[in-house]
Amino acid sequence: MNNKTQRESGKQAQYANISAAKAIADIVTSTLGPRSMMKMLLDPMGGIVMTNDGHAILREIDTKHPAAKSVIEIARMQDEEVGDGTTSVVVLTGEIMQSAKPFLERNIHPTIIVGAYFKALSDIDKYLNEIAIPLDLTNTDDLKMSLNSCVGTKFADRWGSLIVDLALNACQVVMKGTKNTSKLNSEIKRYAKIEKIPGGSLEESRVINGVMFNKDITHPSMRRRIENPRVLLLDCPLEYKKAESQTNMEMSKDTDMSEALQQEINEIAQMCNYILKFNPDIVITEKGVSDLAQHFLLKQNISVIRRIRKTDNNRIARVTGAVIVNRPEEIQESDIGSDSKLFEIRKYGEEYFSFFEDCKNPSACSILLRGGSKDSLNEMERNLHDALGVARNIFACPKLVPGGGATEMEISHKLIENSKNIQGLAQKPYKAIAFALEIIPRTLAQNCGGDVVRLLTELRAKHSKEFGITYGIDGNKGVIADMKDISVWEPLLVKSQVIKTAIENSCMLLRIDDVVSGSKKQTAGESANKPPTQEEAAETFGDARDG
């Protein structure tokens, strides 16, 4: 092996992985729950990030340890998969890794520990489905109640149900365009766009019954407000096609130049005639529009918007009923959209925004966020992203489990009871998962300043009785409460994803007994761009040397 390679093996590697996972978990522990603290981070570009979102915090952290990178990666995966529970999954992973340390010290083989962990995971899956209660998707109050527990731990909680209403409305609008709930994740990303405009108050935030985009008309004389517009969407340039490179034109007569220019004018005029046949009020294209095309369209009182994003064009198509056309000569009457009742361009600050509003049956929307500063707007956007994730999870799997650590305590109690039936060495690691799950209610109690030992002892006593399933920690007051009474519920999909990801990732890290890193840490005296020695150059292949 190369003498520059660093290697950790056996117990040393396992202990290092456990320490790294615990160190990452300790960073975000104080950001769990409604009374959580926020973190201020300086990003590489010099900007400031203020947030209590687990993924947003860990995203900014630069770490060299591979196990720490793996834990940060599960926070990103959790954020992409279900949108919420990023802090919980990291805290739980750190605790599960820590709970394995005593067994490794007693020389219990990692395979036995991992086997017990997977046995516990399969039982947890079964218990979660037993605890879960079905949700009526037609009842808006129930939907809001389940979303409130997600937003209740965020910065946006102080504005009451504002973010909940925005997320729910946006989800319901996008749901109109798709019958397949499994595709809802990608549909929401594609068709529910968040537009942040600094200024105004947060109460002005709303879901637009249509779409908005940051573009103005190409000519000041064009109309900025049109009622019941006929909309034509194009994916082609309205300008003369330039010839291939290095094209020579030989001109023998003095009229040749003017004829060549006239041909360009005729071609653009023909393009515009194809458009004018259908008498649209607004033409929107993803490519450029020449001055001459603007002139022809302006004469017919048509407003033109150019160089719009493909994603924005798709959203306009969903709300206006238009079809995106690739060539002007292929336009048909059915391609013209007329489902929007109002097109208007408004000025916010120094920027112009175009709005299509009062649409007949929109299946795409824009969420307009207003706020005093960019920092508060960015945090609101992160909170809204989480709320949208939870909303789509509820529509995909309409089942809820009690929040506030009640589910974890109930599963912990059942695992401890079940561990009595397990024989041999696997019993202890199986029971360790039960105690590791208690980290969630314990952290909630810590973050709201409660008496942790007394609260957890009382909570264990509650869950040892039949009626105690829904008892958990009220994160605002720091007391034990029935989650049914204070309406704190979480989607089953989020909770099961948190526990699955935490246990599976811990098992993967515990099975590592050798960490080989090829890069040598440079000391302060060494220069970063030191040329390779003759031996090092000989060791590399030709491709590596040539870049």
Side-chain angles (χ1 to χ4, degrees), residues 242-253:
K242 293 180 177 65
E244 293 292 328
S245 56
Q246 295 182 341
T247 302
N248 295 323
M249 289 179 72
E250 289 187 16
M251 297 188 181
S252 53
K253 300 197 292 290

Side-chain angles (χ1 to χ4, degrees), residues 253-506:
K253 300 197 292 290
D254 56 349
T255 56
D256 283 359
M257 187 63 187
S258 57
E259 282 175 13
L261 291 171
Q262 189 59 45
Q263 280 178 0
E264 286 188 21
I265 292 168
N266 291 346
E267 187 164 331
I268 290 171
Q270 192 178 7
M271 271 189 205
C272 293
N273 283 334
Y274 287 130
I275 292 169
L276 296 173
K277 265 188 220 169
F278 296 93
N279 195 26
D281 294 310
I282 305 163
V283 173
I284 298 174
T285 179
E286 293 170 29
K287 307 289 195 299
V289 179
S290 67
D291 292 345
L292 194 61
Q294 283 179 47
H295 164 73
F296 287 131
L297 295 171
L298 179 60
K299 279 205 316 196
Q300 297 298 318
N301 204 15
I302 295 172
S303 297
V304 181
I305 293 172
R306 66 181 169 190
R307 296 202 174 90
I308 193 169
R309 287 196 191 105
K310 181 81 179 169
T311 50
D312 285 335
N313 215 11
N314 287 333
R315 273 194 296 276
I316 297 166
R318 293 270 291 235
V319 298
T320 59
V323 177
I324 299 171
V325 183
N326 295 310
R327 294 166 64 197
E329 52 266 40
E330 292 175 356
I331 301 170
Q332 299 172 350
E333 181 58 39
S334 58
D335 298 332
I336 306 292
S338 54
D339 287 355
S340 174
K341 288 187 179 172
L342 178 66
F343 166 76
E344 191 172 12
I345 293 177
R346 296 171 199 152
K347 191 176 182 186
Y348 287 99
E350 296 299 311
E351 308 245 3
Y352 287 96
F353 290 86
S354 302
F355 288 80
F356 282 99
E357 289 190 298
D358 299 334
C359 299
K360 203 178 288 178
N361 194 21
S363 55
C365 64
S366 292
I367 304 165
L368 174 60
L369 286 183
R370 304 299 312 276
S373 69
K374 281 188 178 173
D375 287 332
S376 63
L377 270 179
N378 288 337
E379 183 62 4
M380 285 288 277
E381 184 187 21
R382 283 189 283 268
N383 296 169
L384 183 55
H385 169 264
D386 286 2
L388 280 169
V390 172
R392 72 165 187 258
N393 292 331
I394 290 168
F395 283 113
C397 173
K399 284 187 174 181
L400 299 178
V401 292
T407 304
E408 285 84 356
M409 285 304 287
E410 182 62 23
I411 290 172
S412 172
H413 169 68
K414 288 191 172 184
L415 288 178
I416 290 168
E417 288 294 309
N418 199 36
S419 67
K420 294 167 187 172
N421 306 324
I422 293 173
Q423 303 296 319
L425 282 174
Q427 187 188 39
K428 295 282 187 203
Y430 183 91
K431 201 186 275 189
I433 287 282
F435 291 123
L437 286 169
E438 291 183 2
I439 188 67
I440 301 293
R442 190 186 306 133
T443 308
L444 282 173
Q446 274 173 357
N447 289 349
C448 63
D451 185 341
V452 181
V453 178
R454 180 174 288 131
L455 283 172
L456 277 184
T457 310
E458 286 178 23
L459 204 52
R460 281 195 202 104
K462 290 273 188 195
H463 281 271
S464 63
K465 295 166 189 169
E466 276 185 37
F467 60 84
I469 292 179
T470 55
Y471 278 91
I473 305 278
D474 182 345
N476 286 308
K477 296 174 185 170
V479 294
I480 289 174
D482 190 341
M483 296 295 117
K484 278 193 286 196
D485 297 341
I486 59 171
S487 299
V488 176
W489 298 90
E490 293 181 53
L492 172 65
L493 218 56
V494 174
K495 188 60 75 182
S496 65
Q497 184 74 21
V498 165
I499 297 172
K500 270 184 203 167
T501 310
I503 294 178
E504 284 172 5
N505 198 66
S506 301

Side-chain angles (χ1 to χ4, degrees), residues 160-213:
S161 61
L162 174 71
I163 290 287
V164 171
D165 293 339
L166 292 179
L168 206 52
N169 290 350
C171 249
Q172 285 169 339
V173 166
V174 175
M175 280 278 287
K176 291 177 191 172
T178 177
K179 297 285 177 279
N180 188 353
T181 51
S182 60
K183 286 186 179 176
L184 200 54
N185 186 356
S186 58
E187 293 280 305
I188 286 175
K189 281 182 184 170
R190 201 176 296 156
Y191 296 119
K193 174 87 183 289
I194 299 170
E195 295 281 358
K196 298 175 292 183
I197 306 177
S201 66
L202 282 160
E203 286 78 18
E204 291 173 34
S205 304
R206 62 195 173 98
V207 174
I208 294 164
N209 185 25
V211 292
M212 65 176 284
F213 46 92

